[in-house]
Amino acid sequence: MKFLERVGMAVLGFSLAILLILVVDLSSVLPLNRLADNKVAKSYGYRGRTLNKSINSSREAADDSSSRQAESQDQMKDEFVDISAAILKAAQKLGIGTIFSKIPEEEGREEVTLGELAKISMEHSRVWERFQLGVSNLQLYKQSDSLVSEVLRQMQQLKIVGITQKEGGTQLKLIIDFEDGGQALFKPMRFNRSQQTLPNHFYFTDFERHNAEIAAFHLDKLLGFRRAVPVTGRVVNITRDIYSLAEGDLLKTFFISPAGNLCFHGKCSYYCDTSHAICGAPDLLEGSFAAFLPSKDIAPRKTWRNPWRRSYHKRRKAQWELDDDYCDIVKDVYPYNHGRRLLDVIDLAMFDFLMGNMDRHHFETFRLFGNNSFPIHLDHGRGFGRHDHDELSILAPLYQCCMVRRSTLSTILSYHSGPVSLSVAMRRSLSKDPVSPVLLEPHLAALDRRVGVILQVVRECLDRADSPESVILVQDNLYNNIKSNQPHDDGHFFQ
């Protein structure tokens, strides 16, 4: 009898186990189907979303970038032929035949350098002065300028003869003096490349990454902007290059760690204490070296608050995050009401999106060139923090204004549809740096994915527009929203 009871219990248990497996399997399949339907329904629509898990979190909610990547691999690649046709149609308004033809966005404007304005001869100048005085109203350096390679080489090889901690900022930076009198800004390596942004860190408390500065310079150049200063990687000997030259308060922060490594932390707003020290191995340290811009005595700069600046608050949102028509406010303010400035900000937003950089609170321009000049691309240490997440809110200037430069869009489209992808171009460019590999492969793959996201946003804008030329600006002067009695931005208009 006991034997029959045991057999019965065994059969009953086995039946329950099979039933449980079936229930769990169905519950795991059904939500995926619902999520897939939801993705198809909302696509890349941005207006009216209720996607925030928390006040300052992403505009993305359930669908993350890794799932989009998996889906895209299962589908035929979208070549965005409709965008190619829209570019061609907008270009034909000016009699341009192909979408990749060179069109001067600043037609009628001559390029003038700081050296020409100051009437300074560069014949016998050092490489540093030649780079700085060669800065023009259109770019920091020319596309085929061999001088940039020379600047990078000097920063990689010259002997370091002095260091000073840079004042201000949230994290440690050192001003490096070279033996020939040149200078560079040094950002040290804090952790290895595999460490991503900590999940509980806000964008304004994230660590700065030295390799992000290097990668940003190369990305800016590949996109054709040439608005970021030259940056290179270099390995320094802390004992010889930093400790032996340190003085004052900085010198007091050096110590030997329990692992026997030489460390220091300096003084700054965040992460300048023993628990967040910068350590060598045992005294070798990798870092980024950024070339200096011209002295403010020669070329004073104006600081502008970014109209799409974030709140830098744990709970409060910025106005643009609450108002989908925010761009109408920006378009009504000089100098964003005509010409290049608003298009420059949109360029900058796409640049930041490709890097995942949410920390763009201000930008600077050269006063000597007036308001019709480019914003300098500076301070990218918080870029390339996550390769598995696309922060769509960084693209707010693009999807709220639905405007884009034809040259920028053509460049991005060429990296998507052309023979060389952005990830391949970046890999090749970064391979020349002394601390290569600068970016790990997942970050390079994320660049290609984000290129597709930008093109999808532009497609959404074109679908809503009356004509392609209202979205794709072939020349900067075609954008004009000047009206009477419009307010002027003095650099602090936007809060």
Side-chain angles (χ1 to χ4, degrees):
M1 190 65 180
K2 289 184 178 181
F3 174 75
L4 293 177
E5 290 178 355
R6 289 176 182 174
V7 171
M9 292 295 290
V11 171
L12 179 61
F14 180 75
S15 301
L16 290 174
I18 293 296
L19 180 61
L20 181 60
I21 290 172
L22 289 173
V23 171
V24 171
D25 185 61
L26 286 172
S27 66
S28 63
V29 171
L30 290 175
L32 287 177
N33 291 334
R34 289 196 299 269
L35 179 58
D37 293 340
N38 186 41
K39 287 182 179 179
V40 172
K42 68 185 180 184
S43 182
Y44 282 90
Y46 298 97
R47 295 180 182 272
R49 282 188 170 187
T50 55
L51 298 176
N52 292 320
K53 285 185 178 180
S54 60
I55 295 295
N56 271 308
S57 64
S58 165
R59 291 174 68 94
E60 287 290 279
D63 50 329
D64 58 27
S65 56
S66 60
S67 62
R68 289 199 307 273
Q69 186 178 21
E71 289 177 358
S72 63
Q73 291 173 348
D74 294 334
Q75 300 171 359
M76 184 178 297
K77 182 179 178 181
D78 187 345
E79 296 293 345
F80 292 98
V81 292
D82 52 334
I83 293 182
S84 298
I87 295 175
L88 182 58
K89 185 175 181 180
Q92 285 175 338
K93 292 286 185 178
L94 294 181
I96 306 300
T98 64
I99 65 172
F100 298 117
S101 300
K102 295 293 183 183
I103 305 176
E105 267 69 21
E106 298 293 331
E107 185 167 324
R109 292 195 65 205
E110 293 185 2
E111 185 171 13
V112 58
T113 66
L114 291 175
E116 292 169 345
L117 286 177
K119 297 181 179 180
I120 299 176
S121 173
M122 296 187 287
E123 185 177 355
H124 302 293
S125 300
R126 296 171 303 171
V127 61
W128 313 104
E129 285 85 6
R130 283 186 283 131
F131 164 68
Q132 293 168 354
L133 294 176
V135 171
S136 77
N137 54 326
L138 302 182
Q139 55 196 350
L140 287 181
Y141 55 91
K142 295 182 182 297
Q143 183 175 4
S144 57
D145 198 343
S146 61
L147 186 61
V148 172
S149 297
E150 194 175 345
V151 169
L152 295 173
R153 186 165 53 252
Q154 296 287 72
M155 291 192 292
Q156 293 164 5
Q157 298 175 357
L158 282 179
K159 181 181 179 181
I160 298 172
V161 298
I163 62 163
T164 309
Q165 181 168 351
K166 187 179 184 297
E167 296 181 359
T170 59
Q171 299 180 41
L172 177 73
K173 305 175 188 70
L174 298 178
I175 297 174
I176 301 294
D177 297 318
F178 295 115
E179 58 182 338
D180 70 341
Q183 291 183 313
L185 184 66
F186 174 72
K187 287 189 177 182
M189 175 177 176
R190 283 193 171 272
F191 39 71
N192 61 48
R193 287 158 173 69
S194 62
Q195 182 168 331
Q196 297 198 75
T197 297
L198 299 177
N200 290 319
H201 273 205
F202 287 96
Y203 54 88
F204 51 85
T205 59
D206 189 16
F207 290 111
E208 293 193 18
R209 288 165 283 276
H210 73 296
N211 60 318
E213 294 286 1
I214 303 168
F217 160 65
H218 288 260
L219 179 61
D220 171 89
K221 182 172 61 173
L222 290 173
L223 292 175
F225 295 146
R226 295 182 293 281
R227 301 168 196 164
V229 297
V231 183
T232 183
R234 176 173 173 174
V235 176
V236 299
N237 184 301
I238 300 179
T239 303
R240 179 192 65 217
D241 299 324
I242 301 179
Y243 178 70
S244 65
L245 302 172
E247 297 178 348
D249 291 337
L250 177 61
L251 180 60
K252 297 175 183 177
T253 68
F254 283 79
F255 63 94
I256 303 295
S257 74
N261 298 321
L262 181 56
C263 307
F264 68 103
H265 56 72
K267 291 190 175 181
C268 61
S269 303
Y270 294 126
Y271 310 127
C272 281
D273 52 52
T274 305
S275 61
H276 296 99
I278 296 155
C279 298
D283 60 354
L284 295 181
L285 176 66
E286 188 178 300
S288 65
F289 283 68
F292 266 39
L293 289 168
S295 166
K296 291 185 178 180
D297 295 332
I298 298 175
R301 303 195 295 269
K302 181 176 178 60
T303 301
W304 303 80
R305 188 183 288 260
N306 184 1
W308 279 270
R309 179 184 187 272
R310 295 178 185 274
S311 67
Y312 287 79
H313 192 275
K314 295 188 292 293
R315 291 174 293 276
R316 189 170 62 245
K317 278 192 173 186
Q319 183 179 355
W320 62 265
E321 296 177 276
L322 303 171
D323 183 2
D324 285 332
D325 298 320
Y326 177 77
C327 187
D328 293 339
I329 298 174
V330 179
K331 286 182 175 180
D332 198 43
V333 178
Y334 176 86
Y336 304 95
N337 60 350
H338 77 289
R340 69 172 298 159
R341 181 57 57 82
L342 180 56
L343 293 168
D344 283 333
V345 172
I346 294 170
D347 278 352
L348 186 54
M350 290 186 283
F351 176 56
D352 282 333
F353 174 72
L354 289 170
M355 296 187 292
N357 177 34
M358 302 171 67
D359 187 30
R360 185 68 66 184
H361 43 82
H362 292 82
F363 59 84
E364 296 182 12
T365 58
F366 290 105
R367 288 182 180 272
L368 289 175
F369 298 137
N371 284 330
N372 199 14
S373 181
F374 63 94
I376 308 165
H377 293 180
L378 292 170
D379 201 6
H380 310 110
R382 288 185 172 133
F384 297 101
R386 290 185 62 183
H387 56 72
D388 60 348
H389 171 73
D390 300 333
E391 183 52 57
L392 294 177
S393 65
I394 301 174
L395 286 178
L398 175 61
Y399 61 71
Q400 289 183 347
C401 297
C402 273
M403 292 169 52
V404 63
R405 269 196 181 101
R406 171 259 180 209
S407 58
T408 303
L409 181 58
S410 293
T411 299
I412 290 174
L413 183 60
S414 70
Y415 281 124
H416 178 80
S417 304
V420 179
S421 67
L422 185 54
S423 63
V424 170
M426 277 287 283
R427 189 182 298 108
R428 290 175 182 173
S429 187
L430 292 172
S431 67
K432 305 170 186 175
D433 193 89
V435 298
S436 178
V438 176
L439 293 178
L440 297 182
E441 285 301 315
H443 284 290
L444 293 172
L447 289 173
D448 293 336
R449 185 180 68 241
R450 291 165 185 165
V451 162
V453 173
I454 290 174
L455 293 173
Q456 181 63 35
V457 173
V458 174
R459 171 181 281 164
E460 292 285 333
C461 288
L462 288 169
D463 289 344
R464 295 195 297 268
D466 295 330
S467 63
E469 55 268 28
S470 66
V471 176
I472 303 170
L473 279 296
V474 178
Q475 292 180 350
D476 293 355
N477 57 17
L478 295 179
Y479 165 58
N480 190 330
N481 191 48
I482 295 177
K483 302 173 185 176
S484 59
N485 301 320
Q486 288 178 312
H488 282 227
D489 182 9
D490 60 354
H492 305 283
F493 180 87
F494 297 97
Q495 302 300 318

